[in-house]
Amino acid sequence: MILNAFELSRKVAIVTGCNTGLGQGMALGLAQAGCDIVGINVSSPVETARKINALGRRFLDLRADLSSIQGIPALIEKAVDEFGHIDILVNNAGIIRREDAIEFSEKNWDDVMNVNSKTLFFMSQAVAKQFIKQGNGGKIINIASMLSYQGGIRVPSYTASKSAVMGMTRLMANEWAKFNINVNAIAPGYMATNNTEQLRADEDRSKEILDRIPAGRWGVPEDVMGPVVFLASKASDYVNGYTIAVDGGWLAR
Ligand code: NAP
């Protein structure tokens, strides 16, 4: 039956940056669908761990600063040691820096590109190697943005990094579909999390944004639960290289 295709019992999902925000929402959504979760975080994910354990699922707490790719092999090894396999990767960790393009610093460029693009690629590569070794395919879900489609204002490295996420999602899908690996992305619209705290604090910008969202509200972490479960499950086996906007209609406007 079709609803069984969404079921994720006995699957293991790595979610980066799941101590808060959209990452926490997606980790909880995947756990509700049956997954055990490997969280990779800088900050302590106590609340996420507690909520996942309360669902009767296991949570492996791994710590790493994803501005560098150095720790990736050890992270994969620890996940496999604990659970024996990996089935799903959600590349969620991301940062944003706001500064006028005319003044934008090299540090603000490199910091954002490292976490949002470089680590996302090399984490995907490492997990794809593990999927190929396991021989059963797998699911990679990248977190893109409205700025994968649009230019944005005062966020040059964020726009560059998230535009790269949409392109890399297609490239990885093209190369790895033959291994039954599905690579897709979710592009959240304007969501109420730490990432948009500054925007929401600016009354004029906040009103401008809200007025343009057809759904008439900022998104919340629960809004990405359904899409991530779909992309992590058998229900999306023939979806390859696509970026799904979860934006309350922002892009349709
Ligand atoms: P958030 O609350 O700021 O979450 C970002 C997550 O990434 C946090 O868990 C953060 O950890 C983690 N992270 C940042 N740098 C890291 C590093 N060097 N190593 C390991 N983890 C790191 O914001 P969010 O909105 O949930 O963002 C999640 C993803 O959605 C990001 O990729 C973001 O770009 C994307 N997104 C958000 C929106 C939006 O409107 N909110 C829209 C489109 C896309 P700490 O908490 O420890 O810093």
Side-chain angles (χ1 to χ4, degrees):
M1 298 296 272
I2 186 58
L3 285 181
N4 297 337
F6 290 84
E7 229 265 324
L8 296 174
S9 293
R10 291 177 297 281
K11 301 284 185 193
V12 174
I14 297 180
V15 184
T16 65
C18 65
N19 59 309
T20 182
L22 304 184
Q24 184 182 65
M26 290 188 286
L28 291 175
L30 291 167
Q32 284 178 20
C35 289
D36 291 321
I37 305 292
V38 179
I40 303 180
N41 291 285
V42 193
S43 307
S44 166
V46 263
E47 191 186 58
T48 309
R50 183 177 44 75
K51 288 183 172 175
I52 285 170
N53 290 332
L55 291 165
R57 308 268 87 89
R58 289 163 70 195
F59 181 80
L60 176 64
D61 177 4
L62 299 183
R63 300 294 171 85
D65 178 353
L66 297 175
S67 59
S68 153
I69 65 169
Q70 260 179 348
I72 291 176
L75 292 167
I76 307 300
E77 205 181 303
K78 283 182 192 155
V80 175
D81 278 355
E82 179 76 14
F83 291 114
H85 56 102
I86 303 167
D87 306 290
I88 297 152
L89 167 66
V90 182
N91 280 307
N92 167 75
I95 56 172
I96 190 162
R97 295 280 165 78
R98 299 177 196 280
E99 190 180 13
D100 291 346
I102 203 76
E103 299 291 350
F104 208 78
S105 69
E106 186 178 0
K107 180 167 171 34
N108 279 345
W109 181 270
D110 289 341
D111 288 354
V112 172
M113 293 301 282
N114 281 340
V115 180
N116 295 12
S117 287
K118 184 175 176 183
T119 295
L120 176 143
F121 175 75
F122 285 102
M123 182 68 79
S124 302
Q125 182 193 62
V127 170
K129 282 182 181 164
Q130 178 63 26
F131 287 164
I132 292 167
K133 198 153 88 180
Q134 293 169 186
N136 303 314
K139 305 278 185 175
I140 297 177
I141 300 143
N142 297 321
I143 303 308
S145 162
M146 293 296 95
L147 301 191
S148 304
Y149 304 89
Q150 301 178 309
I153 298 168
R154 304 188 71 245
V155 287
S157 55
Y158 191 78
T159 303
S161 70
K162 293 295 185 178
S163 297
V165 168
M166 191 156 84
M168 286 191 288
T169 296
R170 295 185 181 120
L171 174 131
M172 294 189 278
N174 292 339
E175 292 204 26
W176 300 339
K178 61 175 178 282
F179 301 114
N180 290 325
I181 298 173
N182 297 80
V183 188
N184 291 291
I186 292 172
Y190 286 83
M191 318 296 277
T193 67
N194 300 339
N195 174 289
T196 52
E197 208 173 321
Q198 247 178 291
L199 267 188
R200 285 177 292 120
D202 177 336
E203 262 181 41
D204 295 339
R205 274 294 278 143
S206 178
K207 183 173 182 322
E208 245 170 56
I209 288 168
L210 200 54
D211 286 348
R212 196 190 175 284
I213 302 173
R217 64 170 177 87
W218 287 71
V220 290
E222 287 74 16
D223 290 316
V224 284
M225 283 183 171
V228 80
V229 167
F230 168 62
L231 290 178
S233 72
K234 268 195 78 52
S236 62
D237 276 356
Y238 202 57
V239 180
N240 298 77
Y242 198 71
T243 299
I244 299 180
V246 180
D247 64 350
W250 176 273
L251 287 181
R253 184 97 178 221

